[in-house]
Amino acid sequence: MRLRRAHRRAPAEGGADGGGEPGPEGIRRAIVAVPLDGSAAEDASAIRELVTGAHFYASPAPSPSGGHLAWVQWNHPRMPWDGTELRVAAIEDGHTVAPRTVKGGLTESALAPLWADDETLYVISDWPGWWNMYQVGLHGESAQALYPAEEEFASPLWQLGGMPYALLGDGRLAVLHGEGDMRLAVYDPETLDLTELELPYSHWAPQVSADGSTIVAIGGGPDVPDSVVRIDTANGRVETLRRETAHLPDAAYLSRPRTERLEGPFGRPVHAYVFPPTSPDAAAPEGELPPYVVFVHGGPTGRVSTVLNLERAYFTSRGIGVIDVNYGGSAGYGRAYRERLRRQWGVVDVEDAVFAARALVERGIADPERLAIRGGSAGGWTTLAAATQTDLFKAATSYYGISDLQSFAGATHDFESQYLFGLIGPLPGFERAYEERSPLNRADRTACPVLLLQGLDDPIVPPDQSERFAVALAEKKMPYAYLTFEGESHGFRRAETTIACLEAELAFYGQTLGFKPKDVDPIDLTVG
């Protein structure tokens, strides 16, 4: 049998094992057992429901002997980085019996259950304020911190299937850890030692697998794209199995980042990476400072790393600097840093992006008349919010950004349908905050030209979010361009779309920041 997480439409009653009500439109999710002989293809009743009742499930893990099942679950309005439960149940006659919570809760995010043996589990929990490793018994007894540290050993659970650590054949654990960028190391539960692996990669994606003495993970660095890497811990051999891109630009065109921990508004830290313009072909004229673009990542509970990003390199190799900001609310810096955005989305993220840009100006790095901001999805929201709250930026680029919160809350997919309850406030009750924060309702205060880029098949941020903002800019007679792409969803996939967007963006910055880029045609800006 194979365990799977499934969902289906259901009547409005809850299940028997979590107390959660079904999601929108009667969605009911379950962990099910699927027979491996293919019989379920002809007889759906061959699929057995093992766990039901919660809104969401992740990481179903049978114990080594098959006598118990562990899993992670949570309910709206929480997101998995807010609060989850690690639950364990016995399996008897093909059914789960006596489920119980062994770690996690309303304000504790427990992730990634991994069986050490039939009686104990490893789990990652942010109970101390950071996602640290624990060992816990079948009944939640003797929860023991394995390596207490002000570092993260996991990342937000945006996608299913990945594990941030893995069990080696000798009982040690291959783990990811760090503040900001994640490093790969080996943890020994017997000696309590955490041994760093000396590897030419500065950051690792939150997906680790192991077999015997071999680790497979995805690593990268400022001049190394994301790469599938195999490491043999027995002999130290490292082998790159596949790279995201086989052909890299000349190293002379790749910017080397500086890690910044700035002291932001009210003395709170702001984390960022500065990528100065780096190119043998493009430089600011004598006596002039280069333009800089603030990159704002999506999520907003996400992060940016130092791993080679060819979109970022496109600009730094053409004389434009980049500051990539892990604003308050970003992952990688502990729960308190993540929760700075609670009910403050559109405030803290904007303040941190603005502060990072001003820090470049105050240090004499960037030209104050040549500052731009850009972001996608939630980063597009922050971009539009910044353009309507401050006159610091002279250009703003939004990739499928959110402009109106209430319509977004009513139209987005189930997983994020109540995400805004933590970022802004619950509905009903906080309608005024939704109205006041939405850039669409402040479009008449937009202080700079805007480039809007939108996929027409986007189910997460529907096209009307960009369309209505474009109409509002036209009414204000603020220069803008609105480019749409058939067949593109949330996050562009086609090479021709990416090329068109980047060339349009570069041309847009040239026209608004006062320089002439090479090899791109001017973009038509609409005014009214």
PDB file of all heavy atoms in Angstrom, residues 273-299:
ATOM      1  N   TYR A 273      20.767  41.161   1.004  1.00  0.00           N
ATOM      2  CA  TYR A 273      21.984  40.876   0.249  1.00  0.00           C
ATOM      3  C   TYR A 273      22.144  41.967  -0.809  1.00  0.00           C
ATOM      4  O   TYR A 273      21.199  42.249  -1.553  1.00  0.00           O
ATOM      5  CB  TYR A 273      21.901  39.504  -0.440  1.00  0.00           C
ATOM      6  CG  TYR A 273      21.697  38.345   0.507  1.00  0.00           C
ATOM      7  CD1 TYR A 273      20.506  37.622   0.491  1.00  0.00           C
ATOM      8  CD2 TYR A 273      22.692  37.976   1.406  1.00  0.00           C
ATOM      9  CE1 TYR A 273      20.319  36.545   1.352  1.00  0.00           C
ATOM     10  CE2 TYR A 273      22.505  36.904   2.269  1.00  0.00           C
ATOM     11  CZ  TYR A 273      21.314  36.192   2.242  1.00  0.00           C
ATOM     12  OH  TYR A 273      21.127  35.138   3.099  1.00  0.00           O
ATOM     13  N   VAL A 274      23.329  42.556  -0.858  1.00  0.00           N
ATOM     14  CA  VAL A 274      23.616  43.597  -1.840  1.00  0.00           C
ATOM     15  C   VAL A 274      24.459  42.999  -2.956  1.00  0.00           C
ATOM     16  O   VAL A 274      25.526  42.423  -2.705  1.00  0.00           O
ATOM     17  CB  VAL A 274      24.356  44.786  -1.199  1.00  0.00           C
ATOM     18  CG1 VAL A 274      24.707  45.833  -2.264  1.00  0.00           C
ATOM     19  CG2 VAL A 274      23.511  45.420  -0.103  1.00  0.00           C
ATOM     20  N   PHE A 275      23.963  43.140  -4.185  1.00  0.00           N
ATOM     21  CA  PHE A 275      24.670  42.668  -5.374  1.00  0.00           C
ATOM     22  C   PHE A 275      25.070  43.891  -6.202  1.00  0.00           C
ATOM     23  O   PHE A 275      24.235  44.457  -6.910  1.00  0.00           O
ATOM     24  CB  PHE A 275      23.774  41.740  -6.199  1.00  0.00           C
ATOM     25  CG  PHE A 275      23.416  40.451  -5.520  1.00  0.00           C
ATOM     26  CD1 PHE A 275      22.388  40.400  -4.596  1.00  0.00           C
ATOM     27  CD2 PHE A 275      24.111  39.284  -5.807  1.00  0.00           C
ATOM     28  CE1 PHE A 275      22.054  39.210  -3.958  1.00  0.00           C
ATOM     29  CE2 PHE A 275      23.785  38.085  -5.181  1.00  0.00           C
ATOM     30  CZ  PHE A 275      22.758  38.045  -4.256  1.00  0.00           C
ATOM     31  N   PRO A 276      26.314  44.336  -6.110  1.00  0.00           N
ATOM     32  CA  PRO A 276      26.712  45.521  -6.874  1.00  0.00           C
ATOM     33  C   PRO A 276      26.739  45.231  -8.365  1.00  0.00           C
ATOM     34  O   PRO A 276      26.902  44.072  -8.779  1.00  0.00           O
ATOM     35  CB  PRO A 276      28.124  45.817  -6.350  1.00  0.00           C
ATOM     36  CG  PRO A 276      28.612  44.533  -5.782  1.00  0.00           C
ATOM     37  CD  PRO A 276      27.407  43.792  -5.288  1.00  0.00           C
ATOM     38  N   PRO A 277      26.569  46.253  -9.203  1.00  0.00           N
ATOM     39  CA  PRO A 277      26.678  46.031 -10.646  1.00  0.00           C
ATOM     40  C   PRO A 277      28.065  45.499 -10.990  1.00  0.00           C
ATOM     41  O   PRO A 277      29.073  45.983 -10.470  1.00  0.00           O
ATOM     42  CB  PRO A 277      26.433  47.410 -11.248  1.00  0.00           C
ATOM     43  CG  PRO A 277      26.606  48.382 -10.125  1.00  0.00           C
ATOM     44  CD  PRO A 277      26.301  47.655  -8.871  1.00  0.00           C
ATOM     45  N   THR A 278      28.093  44.477 -11.819  1.00  0.00           N
ATOM     46  CA  THR A 278      29.349  43.802 -12.145  1.00  0.00           C
ATOM     47  C   THR A 278      29.352  43.460 -13.621  1.00  0.00           C
ATOM     48  O   THR A 278      28.630  42.574 -14.062  1.00  0.00           O
ATOM     49  CB  THR A 278      29.505  42.512 -11.309  1.00  0.00           C
ATOM     50  OG1 THR A 278      29.402  42.833  -9.915  1.00  0.00           O
ATOM     51  CG2 THR A 278      30.848  41.850 -11.573  1.00  0.00           C
ATOM     52  N   SER A 279      30.162  44.185 -14.390  1.00  0.00           N
ATOM     53  CA  SER A 279      30.207  43.943 -15.823  1.00  0.00           C
ATOM     54  C   SER A 279      31.416  44.636 -16.425  1.00  0.00           C
ATOM     55  O   SER A 279      31.704  45.784 -16.085  1.00  0.00           O
ATOM     56  CB  SER A 279      28.939  44.474 -16.501  1.00  0.00           C
ATOM     57  OG  SER A 279      29.059  44.407 -17.910  1.00  0.00           O
ATOM     58  N   PRO A 280      32.138  43.972 -17.304  1.00  0.00           N
ATOM     59  CA  PRO A 280      33.216  44.648 -18.034  1.00  0.00           C
ATOM     60  C   PRO A 280      32.684  45.561 -19.135  1.00  0.00           C
ATOM     61  O   PRO A 280      33.447  46.335 -19.720  1.00  0.00           O
ATOM     62  CB  PRO A 280      34.015  43.481 -18.629  1.00  0.00           C
ATOM     63  CG  PRO A 280      33.057  42.349 -18.720  1.00  0.00           C
ATOM     64  CD  PRO A 280      32.091  42.531 -17.600  1.00  0.00           C
ATOM     65  N   ASP A 281      31.372  45.511 -19.395  1.00  0.00           N
ATOM     66  CA  ASP A 281      30.797  46.269 -20.511  1.00  0.00           C
ATOM     67  C   ASP A 281      29.939  47.446 -20.077  1.00  0.00           C
ATOM     68  O   ASP A 281      29.642  48.316 -20.896  1.00  0.00           O
ATOM     69  CB  ASP A 281      29.917  45.347 -21.374  1.00  0.00           C
ATOM     70  CG  ASP A 281      30.677  44.150 -21.906  1.00  0.00           C
ATOM     71  OD1 ASP A 281      31.880  44.293 -22.167  1.00  0.00           O
ATOM     72  OD2 ASP A 281      30.065  43.072 -22.038  1.00  0.00           O
ATOM     73  N   ALA A 282      29.496  47.461 -18.822  1.00  0.00           N
ATOM     74  CA  ALA A 282      28.569  48.510 -18.391  1.00  0.00           C
ATOM     75  C   ALA A 282      28.997  49.048 -17.038  1.00  0.00           C
ATOM     76  O   ALA A 282      29.228  48.290 -16.099  1.00  0.00           O
ATOM     77  CB  ALA A 282      27.149  47.949 -18.306  1.00  0.00           C
ATOM     78  N   ALA A 283      29.114  50.372 -16.956  1.00  0.00           N
ATOM     79  CA  ALA A 283      29.485  51.025 -15.701  1.00  0.00           C
ATOM     80  C   ALA A 283      28.912  52.431 -15.707  1.00  0.00           C
ATOM     81  O   ALA A 283      28.651  53.016 -16.769  1.00  0.00           O
ATOM     82  CB  ALA A 283      31.003  51.069 -15.532  1.00  0.00           C
ATOM     83  N   ALA A 284      28.680  52.969 -14.522  1.00  0.00           N
ATOM     84  CA  ALA A 284      28.197  54.344 -14.421  1.00  0.00           C
ATOM     85  C   ALA A 284      29.264  55.299 -14.938  1.00  0.00           C
ATOM     86  O   ALA A 284      30.464  55.049 -14.773  1.00  0.00           O
ATOM     87  CB  ALA A 284      27.855  54.667 -12.972  1.00  0.00           C
ATOM     88  N   PRO A 285      28.864  56.383 -15.591  1.00  0.00           N
ATOM     89  CA  PRO A 285      29.845  57.380 -16.042  1.00  0.00           C
ATOM     90  C   PRO A 285      30.662  57.925 -14.872  1.00  0.00           C
ATOM     91  O   PRO A 285      30.245  57.858 -13.711  1.00  0.00           O
ATOM     92  CB  PRO A 285      28.966  58.469 -16.668  1.00  0.00           C
ATOM     93  CG  PRO A 285      27.679  57.777 -17.016  1.00  0.00           C
ATOM     94  CD  PRO A 285      27.500  56.726 -15.969  1.00  0.00           C
ATOM     95  N   GLU A 286      31.810  58.446 -15.178  1.00  0.00           N
ATOM     96  CA  GLU A 286      32.706  59.011 -14.159  1.00  0.00           C
ATOM     97  C   GLU A 286      31.954  60.019 -13.299  1.00  0.00           C
ATOM     98  O   GLU A 286      31.281  60.924 -13.790  1.00  0.00           O
ATOM     99  CB  GLU A 286      33.894  59.698 -14.846  1.00  0.00           C
ATOM    100  CG  GLU A 286      34.952  60.197 -13.875  1.00  0.00           C
ATOM    101  CD  GLU A 286      35.741  59.056 -13.235  1.00  0.00           C
ATOM    102  OE1 GLU A 286      35.837  57.981 -13.867  1.00  0.00           O
ATOM    103  OE2 GLU A 286      36.228  59.248 -12.109  1.00  0.00           O
ATOM    104  N   GLY A 287      32.039  59.816 -11.982  1.00  0.00           N
ATOM    105  CA  GLY A 287      31.416  60.740 -11.046  1.00  0.00           C
ATOM    106  C   GLY A 287      29.950  60.474 -10.765  1.00  0.00           C
ATOM    107  O   GLY A 287      29.334  61.198  -9.977  1.00  0.00           O
ATOM    108  N   GLU A 288      29.364  59.453 -11.399  1.00  0.00           N
ATOM    109  CA  GLU A 288      27.953  59.123 -11.164  1.00  0.00           C
ATOM    110  C   GLU A 288      27.822  57.804 -10.418  1.00  0.00           C
ATOM    111  O   GLU A 288      28.650  56.907 -10.574  1.00  0.00           O
ATOM    112  CB  GLU A 288      27.190  59.032 -12.489  1.00  0.00           C
ATOM    113  CG  GLU A 288      27.053  60.357 -13.215  1.00  0.00           C
ATOM    114  CD  GLU A 288      26.152  60.238 -14.428  1.00  0.00           C
ATOM    115  OE1 GLU A 288      25.383  59.235 -14.501  1.00  0.00           O
ATOM    116  OE2 GLU A 288      26.210  61.122 -15.300  1.00  0.00           O
ATOM    117  N   LEU A 289      26.772  57.720  -9.617  1.00  0.00           N
ATOM    118  CA  LEU A 289      26.473  56.476  -8.915  1.00  0.00           C
ATOM    119  C   LEU A 289      25.518  55.637  -9.768  1.00  0.00           C
ATOM    120  O   LEU A 289      24.694  56.172 -10.513  1.00  0.00           O
ATOM    121  CB  LEU A 289      25.833  56.769  -7.561  1.00  0.00           C
ATOM    122  CG  LEU A 289      26.740  57.458  -6.534  1.00  0.00           C
ATOM    123  CD1 LEU A 289      25.926  57.866  -5.311  1.00  0.00           C
ATOM    124  CD2 LEU A 289      27.886  56.549  -6.138  1.00  0.00           C
ATOM    125  N   PRO A 290      25.588  54.316  -9.649  1.00  0.00           N
ATOM    126  CA  PRO A 290      24.727  53.466 -10.478  1.00  0.00           C
ATOM    127  C   PRO A 290      23.296  53.428  -9.954  1.00  0.00           C
ATOM    128  O   PRO A 290      23.028  53.708  -8.781  1.00  0.00           O
ATOM    129  CB  PRO A 290      25.378  52.089 -10.339  1.00  0.00           C
ATOM    130  CG  PRO A 290      26.013  52.117  -8.985  1.00  0.00           C
ATOM    131  CD  PRO A 290      26.505  53.530  -8.807  1.00  0.00           C
ATOM    132  N   PRO A 291      22.350  53.076 -10.822  1.00  0.00           N
ATOM    133  CA  PRO A 291      20.989  52.807 -10.351  1.00  0.00           C
ATOM    134  C   PRO A 291      20.955  51.508  -9.563  1.00  0.00           C
ATOM    135  O   PRO A 291      21.797  50.627  -9.754  1.00  0.00           O
ATOM    136  CB  PRO A 291      20.179  52.687 -11.643  1.00  0.00           C
ATOM    137  CG  PRO A 291      21.181  52.305 -12.681  1.00  0.00           C
ATOM    138  CD  PRO A 291      22.491  52.902 -12.267  1.00  0.00           C
ATOM    139  N   TYR A 292      19.982  51.403  -8.669  1.00  0.00           N
ATOM    140  CA  TYR A 292      19.763  50.178  -7.897  1.00  0.00           C
ATOM    141  C   TYR A 292      18.287  49.824  -7.908  1.00  0.00           C
ATOM    142  O   TYR A 292      17.415  50.704  -7.888  1.00  0.00           O
ATOM    143  CB  TYR A 292      20.226  50.347  -6.443  1.00  0.00           C
ATOM    144  CG  TYR A 292      21.606  49.797  -6.186  1.00  0.00           C
ATOM    145  CD1 TYR A 292      22.743  50.527  -6.533  1.00  0.00           C
ATOM    146  CD2 TYR A 292      21.789  48.546  -5.612  1.00  0.00           C
ATOM    147  CE1 TYR A 292      24.025  50.031  -6.291  1.00  0.00           C
ATOM    148  CE2 TYR A 292      23.054  48.037  -5.375  1.00  0.00           C
ATOM    149  CZ  TYR A 292      24.161  48.776  -5.720  1.00  0.00           C
ATOM    150  OH  TYR A 292      25.418  48.268  -5.488  1.00  0.00           O
ATOM    151  N   VAL A 293      18.024  48.527  -7.922  1.00  0.00           N
ATOM    152  CA  VAL A 293      16.659  48.015  -7.842  1.00  0.00           C
ATOM    153  C   VAL A 293      16.519  47.197  -6.564  1.00  0.00           C
ATOM    154  O   VAL A 293      17.346  46.316  -6.289  1.00  0.00           O
ATOM    155  CB  VAL A 293      16.309  47.134  -9.059  1.00  0.00           C
ATOM    156  CG1 VAL A 293      14.877  46.616  -8.947  1.00  0.00           C
ATOM    157  CG2 VAL A 293      16.481  47.912 -10.356  1.00  0.00           C
ATOM    158  N   VAL A 294      15.488  47.493  -5.790  1.00  0.00           N
ATOM    159  CA  VAL A 294      15.154  46.681  -4.620  1.00  0.00           C
ATOM    160  C   VAL A 294      14.323  45.497  -5.100  1.00  0.00           C
ATOM    161  O   VAL A 294      13.252  45.672  -5.680  1.00  0.00           O
ATOM    162  CB  VAL A 294      14.372  47.492  -3.581  1.00  0.00           C
ATOM    163  CG1 VAL A 294      13.947  46.587  -2.418  1.00  0.00           C
ATOM    164  CG2 VAL A 294      15.201  48.658  -3.071  1.00  0.00           C
ATOM    165  N   PHE A 295      14.830  44.289  -4.879  1.00  0.00           N
ATOM    166  CA  PHE A 295      14.083  43.067  -5.191  1.00  0.00           C
ATOM    167  C   PHE A 295      13.298  42.665  -3.938  1.00  0.00           C
ATOM    168  O   PHE A 295      13.854  42.589  -2.842  1.00  0.00           O
ATOM    169  CB  PHE A 295      15.034  41.925  -5.558  1.00  0.00           C
ATOM    170  CG  PHE A 295      15.430  41.881  -7.011  1.00  0.00           C
ATOM    171  CD1 PHE A 295      15.733  43.039  -7.714  1.00  0.00           C
ATOM    172  CD2 PHE A 295      15.526  40.669  -7.674  1.00  0.00           C
ATOM    173  CE1 PHE A 295      16.115  42.985  -9.049  1.00  0.00           C
ATOM    174  CE2 PHE A 295      15.902  40.599  -9.007  1.00  0.00           C
ATOM    175  CZ  PHE A 295      16.194  41.758  -9.700  1.00  0.00           C
ATOM    176  N   VAL A 296      12.011  42.382  -4.122  1.00  0.00           N
ATOM    177  CA  VAL A 296      11.141  41.978  -3.014  1.00  0.00           C
ATOM    178  C   VAL A 296      10.605  40.583  -3.311  1.00  0.00           C
ATOM    179  O   VAL A 296       9.906  40.376  -4.301  1.00  0.00           O
ATOM    180  CB  VAL A 296       9.968  42.955  -2.838  1.00  0.00           C
ATOM    181  CG1 VAL A 296       9.178  42.604  -1.576  1.00  0.00           C
ATOM    182  CG2 VAL A 296      10.462  44.400  -2.762  1.00  0.00           C
ATOM    183  N   HIS A 297      10.955  39.607  -2.477  1.00  0.00           N
ATOM    184  CA  HIS A 297      10.535  38.231  -2.739  1.00  0.00           C
ATOM    185  C   HIS A 297       9.057  38.036  -2.448  1.00  0.00           C
ATOM    186  O   HIS A 297       8.416  38.839  -1.771  1.00  0.00           O
ATOM    187  CB  HIS A 297      11.379  37.236  -1.935  1.00  0.00           C
ATOM    188  CG  HIS A 297      11.177  37.310  -0.457  1.00  0.00           C
ATOM    189  ND1 HIS A 297      10.028  36.892   0.182  1.00  0.00           N
ATOM    190  CD2 HIS A 297      12.008  37.733   0.547  1.00  0.00           C
ATOM    191  CE1 HIS A 297      10.140  37.054   1.484  1.00  0.00           C
ATOM    192  NE2 HIS A 297      11.335  37.572   1.736  1.00  0.00           N
ATOM    193  N   GLY A 298       8.522  36.926  -2.946  1.00  0.00           N
ATOM    194  CA  GLY A 298       7.124  36.589  -2.734  1.00  0.00           C
ATOM    195  C   GLY A 298       6.914  35.860  -1.429  1.00  0.00           C
ATOM    196  O   GLY A 298       7.791  35.737  -0.596  1.00  0.00           O
ATOM    197  N   GLY A 299       5.730  35.367  -1.271  1.00  0.00           N
ATOM    198  CA  GLY A 299       5.381  34.640  -0.049  1.00  0.00           C
ATOM    199  C   GLY A 299       4.119  35.198   0.589  1.00  0.00           C
ATOM    200  O   GLY A 299       3.042  34.737   0.292  1.00  0.00           O
TER     201      GLY A 299
END
